[in-house]
Amino acid sequence: MTAIQEATQTGLADRYGRLATDLRVSLTDRCNLRCTYCMPEEGLDWLAKPELLTDDEVVRLVSVAVTHLGVNEIRFTGGEPLLRRGLVGIVARTTQLTPRPEVSLTTNGIGLARQAQALKDAGLDRVNVSLDTVRPDTFQQITRRDRLKDVVAGLAAAHEAGLRPVKVNAVLMRGANDRQAPELLEFCLEHGYELRFIEQMPLDAQHGWDRATMITADEILELLSGRFDLTPDDTSKRGSAPAESFLVEGGPQTVGIIASVTRPFCGDCDRVRLTADGQIRDCLFARTESDLRTALRDGADDAELADRWRRAMRNKLPGHGINDPSFLQPSRPMSAIGG
């Protein structure tokens, strides 16, 4: 049996030959921002504490994924994962697993200035920070909070702590920050951050996403090309990575564009998600979930949990279907799913 055949039998394989090796783990559905493309101004009904996985339960399921199912990348997400009190300890225990996975964090950056060094000391490899603008007024308009200085400080602290490459994720919205794309790239180039623009996806709690008004990858490229010379980065092996990479002014610095809607990359997807309340999601846009929390709390051993996880992945569809007329947005918003 070849290594690929063995991985397909023992790992998180779906019916279409894809193998999930990248696990996104949501640690909380709570967030300290109220971004207009994510949740309503008054917030949401948060998960009750008994529903959330404990720190030990998170680490147990992550351990099953790494030691039994071939997962080699762990990304902790939220909501806002920095709000999780046990975050540093969870990271430390995850990086001590054998084989040691790559461990990263997606955050809005608020509070990162205080925790960056502790997370680095715990073994965290890198961070992705969400930032859609470098203008204070636009930041407050989009997030409904006056916290831009905290995010900028968090980025600097992460870079100083060695959580590199520091990646910045940005969403452009028509009439809000779309014309600011070049200055955001300029800011990231100046500070040595890797910027990636992401097409806005239908994951808002209000279900107000409109395909017709979304700013596309082609538009993003046109906005940036007015100021920068961008060429495809032929040296970058994209593989399952979602971003198309472009050299800026011939390189070596790059900018990425993630065309989740207009140029979906479902055929190369290697991701699986674990929600903060212990549900497996085989796709970001899945309409169904598989419950691991109940089995875990009922005393299932690692082998049974791994088997349940494998069976859950067999239901994964060939694609998210955003561009299909029959597409239905997930009932959970992004903050409750985990990025």
PDB file of all heavy atoms in Angstrom, residues 152-189:
ATOM      1  N   VAL A 152      -3.373  47.985  15.055  1.00  0.00           N
ATOM      2  CA  VAL A 152      -2.043  48.337  14.530  1.00  0.00           C
ATOM      3  C   VAL A 152      -0.958  47.952  15.539  1.00  0.00           C
ATOM      4  O   VAL A 152       0.101  47.421  15.172  1.00  0.00           O
ATOM      5  CB  VAL A 152      -1.989  49.844  14.198  1.00  0.00           C
ATOM      6  CG1 VAL A 152      -0.562  50.273  13.867  1.00  0.00           C
ATOM      7  CG2 VAL A 152      -2.929  50.158  13.029  1.00  0.00           C
ATOM      8  N   ALA A 153      -1.221  48.197  16.830  1.00  0.00           N
ATOM      9  CA  ALA A 153      -0.266  47.807  17.873  1.00  0.00           C
ATOM     10  C   ALA A 153      -0.118  46.291  17.933  1.00  0.00           C
ATOM     11  O   ALA A 153       0.986  45.765  18.147  1.00  0.00           O
ATOM     12  CB  ALA A 153      -0.726  48.350  19.228  1.00  0.00           C
ATOM     13  N   GLY A 154      -1.211  45.571  17.734  1.00  0.00           N
ATOM     14  CA  GLY A 154      -1.155  44.120  17.742  1.00  0.00           C
ATOM     15  C   GLY A 154      -0.327  43.570  16.601  1.00  0.00           C
ATOM     16  O   GLY A 154       0.451  42.621  16.773  1.00  0.00           O
ATOM     17  N   LEU A 155      -0.484  44.150  15.434  1.00  0.00           N
ATOM     18  CA  LEU A 155       0.321  43.737  14.278  1.00  0.00           C
ATOM     19  C   LEU A 155       1.810  43.929  14.555  1.00  0.00           C
ATOM     20  O   LEU A 155       2.634  43.034  14.301  1.00  0.00           O
ATOM     21  CB  LEU A 155      -0.081  44.549  13.049  1.00  0.00           C
ATOM     22  CG  LEU A 155      -1.376  44.149  12.347  1.00  0.00           C
ATOM     23  CD1 LEU A 155      -1.843  45.264  11.417  1.00  0.00           C
ATOM     24  CD2 LEU A 155      -1.176  42.860  11.564  1.00  0.00           C
ATOM     25  N   ALA A 156       2.155  45.096  15.093  1.00  0.00           N
ATOM     26  CA  ALA A 156       3.564  45.392  15.384  1.00  0.00           C
ATOM     27  C   ALA A 156       4.122  44.430  16.425  1.00  0.00           C
ATOM     28  O   ALA A 156       5.260  43.952  16.305  1.00  0.00           O
ATOM     29  CB  ALA A 156       3.697  46.837  15.854  1.00  0.00           C
ATOM     30  N   ALA A 157       3.326  44.122  17.449  1.00  0.00           N
ATOM     31  CA  ALA A 157       3.781  43.215  18.503  1.00  0.00           C
ATOM     32  C   ALA A 157       3.985  41.804  17.972  1.00  0.00           C
ATOM     33  O   ALA A 157       4.941  41.114  18.352  1.00  0.00           O
ATOM     34  CB  ALA A 157       2.772  43.208  19.653  1.00  0.00           C
ATOM     35  N   ALA A 158       3.092  41.361  17.086  1.00  0.00           N
ATOM     36  CA  ALA A 158       3.234  40.030  16.498  1.00  0.00           C
ATOM     37  C   ALA A 158       4.501  39.942  15.657  1.00  0.00           C
ATOM     38  O   ALA A 158       5.248  38.951  15.721  1.00  0.00           O
ATOM     39  CB  ALA A 158       2.007  39.703  15.650  1.00  0.00           C
ATOM     40  N   HIS A 159       4.756  40.979  14.886  1.00  0.00           N
ATOM     41  CA  HIS A 159       5.966  41.005  14.053  1.00  0.00           C
ATOM     42  C   HIS A 159       7.209  41.003  14.924  1.00  0.00           C
ATOM     43  O   HIS A 159       8.180  40.273  14.671  1.00  0.00           O
ATOM     44  CB  HIS A 159       5.933  42.237  13.155  1.00  0.00           C
ATOM     45  CG  HIS A 159       6.975  42.246  12.084  1.00  0.00           C
ATOM     46  ND1 HIS A 159       8.225  42.804  12.262  1.00  0.00           N
ATOM     47  CD2 HIS A 159       6.964  41.744  10.821  1.00  0.00           C
ATOM     48  CE1 HIS A 159       8.935  42.660  11.151  1.00  0.00           C
ATOM     49  NE2 HIS A 159       8.194  42.025  10.261  1.00  0.00           N
ATOM     50  N   GLU A 160       7.193  41.811  15.979  1.00  0.00           N
ATOM     51  CA  GLU A 160       8.341  41.904  16.880  1.00  0.00           C
ATOM     52  C   GLU A 160       8.572  40.582  17.611  1.00  0.00           C
ATOM     53  O   GLU A 160       9.727  40.188  17.847  1.00  0.00           O
ATOM     54  CB  GLU A 160       8.103  43.024  17.885  1.00  0.00           C
ATOM     55  CG  GLU A 160       9.233  43.225  18.895  1.00  0.00           C
ATOM     56  CD  GLU A 160      10.536  43.689  18.263  1.00  0.00           C
ATOM     57  OE1 GLU A 160      10.481  44.314  17.170  1.00  0.00           O
ATOM     58  OE2 GLU A 160      11.607  43.432  18.847  1.00  0.00           O
ATOM     59  N   ALA A 161       7.507  39.871  17.947  1.00  0.00           N
ATOM     60  CA  ALA A 161       7.636  38.607  18.665  1.00  0.00           C
ATOM     61  C   ALA A 161       8.114  37.469  17.765  1.00  0.00           C
ATOM     62  O   ALA A 161       8.486  36.409  18.263  1.00  0.00           O
ATOM     63  CB  ALA A 161       6.298  38.235  19.304  1.00  0.00           C
ATOM     64  N   GLY A 162       8.092  37.695  16.465  1.00  0.00           N
ATOM     65  CA  GLY A 162       8.547  36.657  15.544  1.00  0.00           C
ATOM     66  C   GLY A 162       7.439  35.766  15.023  1.00  0.00           C
ATOM     67  O   GLY A 162       7.713  34.673  14.503  1.00  0.00           O
ATOM     68  N   LEU A 163       6.190  36.204  15.140  1.00  0.00           N
ATOM     69  CA  LEU A 163       5.058  35.430  14.612  1.00  0.00           C
ATOM     70  C   LEU A 163       4.906  35.734  13.127  1.00  0.00           C
ATOM     71  O   LEU A 163       3.934  36.344  12.686  1.00  0.00           O
ATOM     72  CB  LEU A 163       3.785  35.776  15.385  1.00  0.00           C
ATOM     73  CG  LEU A 163       3.783  35.366  16.863  1.00  0.00           C
ATOM     74  CD1 LEU A 163       2.590  35.972  17.594  1.00  0.00           C
ATOM     75  CD2 LEU A 163       3.774  33.838  16.987  1.00  0.00           C
ATOM     76  N   ARG A 164       5.889  35.306  12.364  1.00  0.00           N
ATOM     77  CA  ARG A 164       5.974  35.683  10.961  1.00  0.00           C
ATOM     78  C   ARG A 164       5.842  34.476  10.047  1.00  0.00           C
ATOM     79  O   ARG A 164       6.226  33.382  10.428  1.00  0.00           O
ATOM     80  CB  ARG A 164       7.313  36.399  10.701  1.00  0.00           C
ATOM     81  CG  ARG A 164       7.554  37.598  11.587  1.00  0.00           C
ATOM     82  CD  ARG A 164       8.943  38.156  11.338  1.00  0.00           C
ATOM     83  NE  ARG A 164       9.293  39.169  12.340  1.00  0.00           N
ATOM     84  CZ  ARG A 164      10.509  39.683  12.458  1.00  0.00           C
ATOM     85  NH1 ARG A 164      11.481  39.287  11.649  1.00  0.00           N
ATOM     86  NH2 ARG A 164      10.754  40.597  13.381  1.00  0.00           N
ATOM     87  N   PRO A 165       5.348  34.689   8.802  1.00  0.00           N
ATOM     88  CA  PRO A 165       4.916  35.979   8.295  1.00  0.00           C
ATOM     89  C   PRO A 165       3.604  36.430   8.929  1.00  0.00           C
ATOM     90  O   PRO A 165       2.689  35.624   9.113  1.00  0.00           O
ATOM     91  CB  PRO A 165       4.717  35.726   6.796  1.00  0.00           C
ATOM     92  CG  PRO A 165       4.388  34.271   6.713  1.00  0.00           C
ATOM     93  CD  PRO A 165       5.181  33.613   7.806  1.00  0.00           C
ATOM     94  N   VAL A 166       3.538  37.714   9.275  1.00  0.00           N
ATOM     95  CA  VAL A 166       2.290  38.300   9.753  1.00  0.00           C
ATOM     96  C   VAL A 166       1.426  38.562   8.524  1.00  0.00           C
ATOM     97  O   VAL A 166       1.816  39.316   7.633  1.00  0.00           O
ATOM     98  CB  VAL A 166       2.542  39.617  10.508  1.00  0.00           C
ATOM     99  CG1 VAL A 166       1.222  40.281  10.863  1.00  0.00           C
ATOM    100  CG2 VAL A 166       3.368  39.362  11.752  1.00  0.00           C
ATOM    101  N   LYS A 167       0.283  37.900   8.483  1.00  0.00           N
ATOM    102  CA  LYS A 167      -0.603  38.059   7.338  1.00  0.00           C
ATOM    103  C   LYS A 167      -1.791  38.944   7.715  1.00  0.00           C
ATOM    104  O   LYS A 167      -2.311  38.851   8.825  1.00  0.00           O
ATOM    105  CB  LYS A 167      -1.081  36.699   6.840  1.00  0.00           C
ATOM    106  CG  LYS A 167       0.049  35.835   6.272  1.00  0.00           C
ATOM    107  CD  LYS A 167      -0.475  34.555   5.651  1.00  0.00           C
ATOM    108  CE  LYS A 167       0.662  33.741   5.045  1.00  0.00           C
ATOM    109  NZ  LYS A 167       0.156  32.497   4.402  1.00  0.00           N
ATOM    110  N   VAL A 168      -2.196  39.776   6.778  1.00  0.00           N
ATOM    111  CA  VAL A 168      -3.347  40.663   6.977  1.00  0.00           C
ATOM    112  C   VAL A 168      -4.431  40.246   5.998  1.00  0.00           C
ATOM    113  O   VAL A 168      -4.186  40.119   4.790  1.00  0.00           O
ATOM    114  CB  VAL A 168      -2.962  42.135   6.753  1.00  0.00           C
ATOM    115  CG1 VAL A 168      -4.200  43.031   6.778  1.00  0.00           C
ATOM    116  CG2 VAL A 168      -1.947  42.586   7.803  1.00  0.00           C
ATOM    117  N   ASN A 169      -5.623  39.998   6.512  1.00  0.00           N
ATOM    118  CA  ASN A 169      -6.779  39.648   5.682  1.00  0.00           C
ATOM    119  C   ASN A 169      -7.706  40.851   5.576  1.00  0.00           C
ATOM    120  O   ASN A 169      -8.062  41.451   6.591  1.00  0.00           O
ATOM    121  CB  ASN A 169      -7.552  38.487   6.293  1.00  0.00           C
ATOM    122  CG  ASN A 169      -6.742  37.207   6.335  1.00  0.00           C
ATOM    123  OD1 ASN A 169      -5.800  37.024   5.583  1.00  0.00           O
ATOM    124  ND2 ASN A 169      -7.129  36.307   7.220  1.00  0.00           N
ATOM    125  N   ALA A 170      -8.098  41.203   4.356  1.00  0.00           N
ATOM    126  CA  ALA A 170      -8.953  42.371   4.141  1.00  0.00           C
ATOM    127  C   ALA A 170     -10.132  42.030   3.241  1.00  0.00           C
ATOM    128  O   ALA A 170      -9.990  41.278   2.271  1.00  0.00           O
ATOM    129  CB  ALA A 170      -8.146  43.509   3.522  1.00  0.00           C
ATOM    130  N   VAL A 171     -11.286  42.586   3.588  1.00  0.00           N
ATOM    131  CA  VAL A 171     -12.488  42.476   2.770  1.00  0.00           C
ATOM    132  C   VAL A 171     -12.840  43.873   2.274  1.00  0.00           C
ATOM    133  O   VAL A 171     -12.880  44.823   3.073  1.00  0.00           O
ATOM    134  CB  VAL A 171     -13.662  41.886   3.577  1.00  0.00           C
ATOM    135  CG1 VAL A 171     -14.945  41.903   2.754  1.00  0.00           C
ATOM    136  CG2 VAL A 171     -13.337  40.468   4.033  1.00  0.00           C
ATOM    137  N   LEU A 172     -13.071  44.006   0.988  1.00  0.00           N
ATOM    138  CA  LEU A 172     -13.458  45.299   0.422  1.00  0.00           C
ATOM    139  C   LEU A 172     -14.970  45.347   0.224  1.00  0.00           C
ATOM    140  O   LEU A 172     -15.582  44.378  -0.233  1.00  0.00           O
ATOM    141  CB  LEU A 172     -12.765  45.527  -0.923  1.00  0.00           C
ATOM    142  CG  LEU A 172     -11.235  45.642  -0.892  1.00  0.00           C
ATOM    143  CD1 LEU A 172     -10.707  45.903  -2.298  1.00  0.00           C
ATOM    144  CD2 LEU A 172     -10.783  46.735   0.062  1.00  0.00           C
ATOM    145  N   MET A 173     -15.558  46.502   0.575  1.00  0.00           N
ATOM    146  CA  MET A 173     -16.989  46.708   0.410  1.00  0.00           C
ATOM    147  C   MET A 173     -17.235  47.981  -0.386  1.00  0.00           C
ATOM    148  O   MET A 173     -16.626  49.016  -0.104  1.00  0.00           O
ATOM    149  CB  MET A 173     -17.669  46.784   1.777  1.00  0.00           C
ATOM    150  CG  MET A 173     -17.759  45.433   2.458  1.00  0.00           C
ATOM    151  SD  MET A 173     -17.817  45.601   4.242  1.00  0.00           S
ATOM    152  CE  MET A 173     -16.146  46.163   4.578  1.00  0.00           C
ATOM    153  N   ARG A 174     -18.104  47.842  -1.343  1.00  0.00           N
ATOM    154  CA  ARG A 174     -18.365  48.950  -2.250  1.00  0.00           C
ATOM    155  C   ARG A 174     -18.887  50.174  -1.489  1.00  0.00           C
ATOM    156  O   ARG A 174     -19.802  50.072  -0.668  1.00  0.00           O
ATOM    157  CB  ARG A 174     -19.380  48.507  -3.308  1.00  0.00           C
ATOM    158  CG  ARG A 174     -19.294  49.287  -4.601  1.00  0.00           C
ATOM    159  CD  ARG A 174     -20.198  48.689  -5.662  1.00  0.00           C
ATOM    160  NE  ARG A 174     -19.890  47.296  -5.969  1.00  0.00           N
ATOM    161  CZ  ARG A 174     -18.892  46.902  -6.758  1.00  0.00           C
ATOM    162  NH1 ARG A 174     -18.077  47.797  -7.298  1.00  0.00           N
ATOM    163  NH2 ARG A 174     -18.693  45.618  -6.995  1.00  0.00           N
ATOM    164  N   GLY A 175     -18.256  51.309  -1.726  1.00  0.00           N
ATOM    165  CA  GLY A 175     -18.681  52.543  -1.100  1.00  0.00           C
ATOM    166  C   GLY A 175     -18.166  52.750   0.306  1.00  0.00           C
ATOM    167  O   GLY A 175     -18.399  53.796   0.907  1.00  0.00           O
ATOM    168  N   ALA A 176     -17.443  51.770   0.831  1.00  0.00           N
ATOM    169  CA  ALA A 176     -16.906  51.894   2.194  1.00  0.00           C
ATOM    170  C   ALA A 176     -15.394  52.007   2.178  1.00  0.00           C
ATOM    171  O   ALA A 176     -14.828  53.011   2.618  1.00  0.00           O
ATOM    172  CB  ALA A 176     -17.353  50.711   3.045  1.00  0.00           C
ATOM    173  N   ASN A 177     -14.711  50.972   1.665  1.00  0.00           N
ATOM    174  CA  ASN A 177     -13.244  50.973   1.691  1.00  0.00           C
ATOM    175  C   ASN A 177     -12.622  50.510   0.387  1.00  0.00           C
ATOM    176  O   ASN A 177     -11.411  50.295   0.318  1.00  0.00           O
ATOM    177  CB  ASN A 177     -12.739  50.088   2.832  1.00  0.00           C
ATOM    178  CG  ASN A 177     -13.117  48.621   2.633  1.00  0.00           C
ATOM    179  OD1 ASN A 177     -14.068  48.299   1.912  1.00  0.00           O
ATOM    180  ND2 ASN A 177     -12.379  47.731   3.277  1.00  0.00           N
ATOM    181  N   ASP A 178     -13.424  50.335  -0.665  1.00  0.00           N
ATOM    182  CA  ASP A 178     -12.878  49.790  -1.904  1.00  0.00           C
ATOM    183  C   ASP A 178     -11.802  50.676  -2.510  1.00  0.00           C
ATOM    184  O   ASP A 178     -10.795  50.171  -3.023  1.00  0.00           O
ATOM    185  CB  ASP A 178     -13.992  49.505  -2.920  1.00  0.00           C
ATOM    186  CG  ASP A 178     -14.917  50.693  -3.141  1.00  0.00           C
ATOM    187  OD1 ASP A 178     -15.131  51.456  -2.189  1.00  0.00           O
ATOM    188  OD2 ASP A 178     -15.427  50.853  -4.265  1.00  0.00           O
ATOM    189  N   ARG A 179     -11.940  51.976  -2.415  1.00  0.00           N
ATOM    190  CA  ARG A 179     -10.939  52.880  -2.998  1.00  0.00           C
ATOM    191  C   ARG A 179      -9.683  52.988  -2.125  1.00  0.00           C
ATOM    192  O   ARG A 179      -8.708  53.637  -2.508  1.00  0.00           O
ATOM    193  CB  ARG A 179     -11.552  54.269  -3.197  1.00  0.00           C
ATOM    194  CG  ARG A 179     -12.718  54.277  -4.188  1.00  0.00           C
ATOM    195  CD  ARG A 179     -12.309  53.793  -5.552  1.00  0.00           C
ATOM    196  NE  ARG A 179     -13.448  53.501  -6.411  1.00  0.00           N
ATOM    197  CZ  ARG A 179     -13.351  53.000  -7.643  1.00  0.00           C
ATOM    198  NH1 ARG A 179     -12.155  52.733  -8.147  1.00  0.00           N
ATOM    199  NH2 ARG A 179     -14.433  52.751  -8.354  1.00  0.00           N
ATOM    200  N   GLN A 180      -9.714  52.355  -0.964  1.00  0.00           N
ATOM    201  CA  GLN A 180      -8.578  52.405  -0.051  1.00  0.00           C
ATOM    202  C   GLN A 180      -7.639  51.203  -0.208  1.00  0.00           C
ATOM    203  O   GLN A 180      -6.653  51.073   0.526  1.00  0.00           O
ATOM    204  CB  GLN A 180      -9.068  52.479   1.395  1.00  0.00           C
ATOM    205  CG  GLN A 180      -9.922  53.703   1.683  1.00  0.00           C
ATOM    206  CD  GLN A 180     -10.524  53.672   3.066  1.00  0.00           C
ATOM    207  OE1 GLN A 180      -9.953  53.121   3.997  1.00  0.00           O
ATOM    208  NE2 GLN A 180     -11.703  54.271   3.213  1.00  0.00           N
ATOM    209  N   ALA A 181      -7.946  50.319  -1.146  1.00  0.00           N
ATOM    210  CA  ALA A 181      -7.138  49.114  -1.324  1.00  0.00           C
ATOM    211  C   ALA A 181      -5.647  49.422  -1.532  1.00  0.00           C
ATOM    212  O   ALA A 181      -4.785  48.801  -0.892  1.00  0.00           O
ATOM    213  CB  ALA A 181      -7.684  48.278  -2.479  1.00  0.00           C
ATOM    214  N   PRO A 182      -5.284  50.383  -2.406  1.00  0.00           N
ATOM    215  CA  PRO A 182      -3.857  50.658  -2.601  1.00  0.00           C
ATOM    216  C   PRO A 182      -3.154  51.139  -1.332  1.00  0.00           C
ATOM    217  O   PRO A 182      -2.005  50.747  -1.070  1.00  0.00           O
ATOM    218  CB  PRO A 182      -3.855  51.745  -3.686  1.00  0.00           C
ATOM    219  CG  PRO A 182      -5.138  51.542  -4.425  1.00  0.00           C
ATOM    220  CD  PRO A 182      -6.111  51.141  -3.370  1.00  0.00           C
ATOM    221  N   GLU A 183      -3.805  51.986  -0.530  1.00  0.00           N
ATOM    222  CA  GLU A 183      -3.129  52.482   0.671  1.00  0.00           C
ATOM    223  C   GLU A 183      -2.985  51.391   1.726  1.00  0.00           C
ATOM    224  O   GLU A 183      -2.027  51.386   2.504  1.00  0.00           O
ATOM    225  CB  GLU A 183      -3.849  53.701   1.239  1.00  0.00           C
ATOM    226  CG  GLU A 183      -5.227  53.463   1.801  1.00  0.00           C
ATOM    227  CD  GLU A 183      -5.933  54.771   2.134  1.00  0.00           C
ATOM    228  OE1 GLU A 183      -6.191  55.582   1.197  1.00  0.00           O
ATOM    229  OE2 GLU A 183      -6.236  54.989   3.319  1.00  0.00           O
ATOM    230  N   LEU A 184      -3.913  50.437   1.750  1.00  0.00           N
ATOM    231  CA  LEU A 184      -3.780  49.307   2.673  1.00  0.00           C
ATOM    232  C   LEU A 184      -2.603  48.439   2.262  1.00  0.00           C
ATOM    233  O   LEU A 184      -1.815  47.995   3.119  1.00  0.00           O
ATOM    234  CB  LEU A 184      -5.070  48.488   2.696  1.00  0.00           C
ATOM    235  CG  LEU A 184      -5.115  47.311   3.678  1.00  0.00           C
ATOM    236  CD1 LEU A 184      -4.836  47.759   5.107  1.00  0.00           C
ATOM    237  CD2 LEU A 184      -6.480  46.619   3.598  1.00  0.00           C
ATOM    238  N   LEU A 185      -2.440  48.214   0.966  1.00  0.00           N
ATOM    239  CA  LEU A 185      -1.289  47.455   0.489  1.00  0.00           C
ATOM    240  C   LEU A 185       0.005  48.211   0.787  1.00  0.00           C
ATOM    241  O   LEU A 185       1.000  47.605   1.205  1.00  0.00           O
ATOM    242  CB  LEU A 185      -1.416  47.189  -1.013  1.00  0.00           C
ATOM    243  CG  LEU A 185      -0.230  46.470  -1.673  1.00  0.00           C
ATOM    244  CD1 LEU A 185       0.122  45.174  -0.954  1.00  0.00           C
ATOM    245  CD2 LEU A 185      -0.513  46.207  -3.150  1.00  0.00           C
ATOM    246  N   GLU A 186       0.003  49.520   0.597  1.00  0.00           N
ATOM    247  CA  GLU A 186       1.182  50.327   0.888  1.00  0.00           C
ATOM    248  C   GLU A 186       1.582  50.203   2.366  1.00  0.00           C
ATOM    249  O   GLU A 186       2.759  50.064   2.704  1.00  0.00           O
ATOM    250  CB  GLU A 186       0.894  51.787   0.538  1.00  0.00           C
ATOM    251  CG  GLU A 186       2.125  52.651   0.373  1.00  0.00           C
ATOM    252  CD  GLU A 186       1.772  53.982  -0.281  1.00  0.00           C
ATOM    253  OE1 GLU A 186       1.134  54.810   0.402  1.00  0.00           O
ATOM    254  OE2 GLU A 186       2.101  54.172  -1.464  1.00  0.00           O
ATOM    255  N   PHE A 187       0.598  50.238   3.248  1.00  0.00           N
ATOM    256  CA  PHE A 187       0.839  50.080   4.682  1.00  0.00           C
ATOM    257  C   PHE A 187       1.486  48.723   4.978  1.00  0.00           C
ATOM    258  O   PHE A 187       2.467  48.639   5.740  1.00  0.00           O
ATOM    259  CB  PHE A 187      -0.487  50.208   5.436  1.00  0.00           C
ATOM    260  CG  PHE A 187      -0.439  49.791   6.880  1.00  0.00           C
ATOM    261  CD1 PHE A 187       0.027  50.656   7.861  1.00  0.00           C
ATOM    262  CD2 PHE A 187      -0.871  48.518   7.270  1.00  0.00           C
ATOM    263  CE1 PHE A 187       0.075  50.267   9.196  1.00  0.00           C
ATOM    264  CE2 PHE A 187      -0.835  48.123   8.592  1.00  0.00           C
ATOM    265  CZ  PHE A 187      -0.359  48.997   9.565  1.00  0.00           C
ATOM    266  N   CYS A 188       0.974  47.680   4.373  1.00  0.00           N
ATOM    267  CA  CYS A 188       1.512  46.341   4.633  1.00  0.00           C
ATOM    268  C   CYS A 188       2.921  46.170   4.057  1.00  0.00           C
ATOM    269  O   CYS A 188       3.789  45.555   4.692  1.00  0.00           O
ATOM    270  CB  CYS A 188       0.570  45.278   4.063  1.00  0.00           C
ATOM    271  SG  CYS A 188      -0.991  45.145   4.970  1.00  0.00           S
ATOM    272  N   LEU A 189       3.151  46.707   2.888  1.00  0.00           N
ATOM    273  CA  LEU A 189       4.490  46.638   2.305  1.00  0.00           C
ATOM    274  C   LEU A 189       5.502  47.363   3.187  1.00  0.00           C
ATOM    275  O   LEU A 189       6.615  46.886   3.412  1.00  0.00           O
ATOM    276  CB  LEU A 189       4.483  47.254   0.903  1.00  0.00           C
ATOM    277  CG  LEU A 189       3.672  46.528  -0.175  1.00  0.00           C
ATOM    278  CD1 LEU A 189       3.640  47.367  -1.448  1.00  0.00           C
ATOM    279  CD2 LEU A 189       4.247  45.144  -0.462  1.00  0.00           C
TER     280      LEU A 189
END
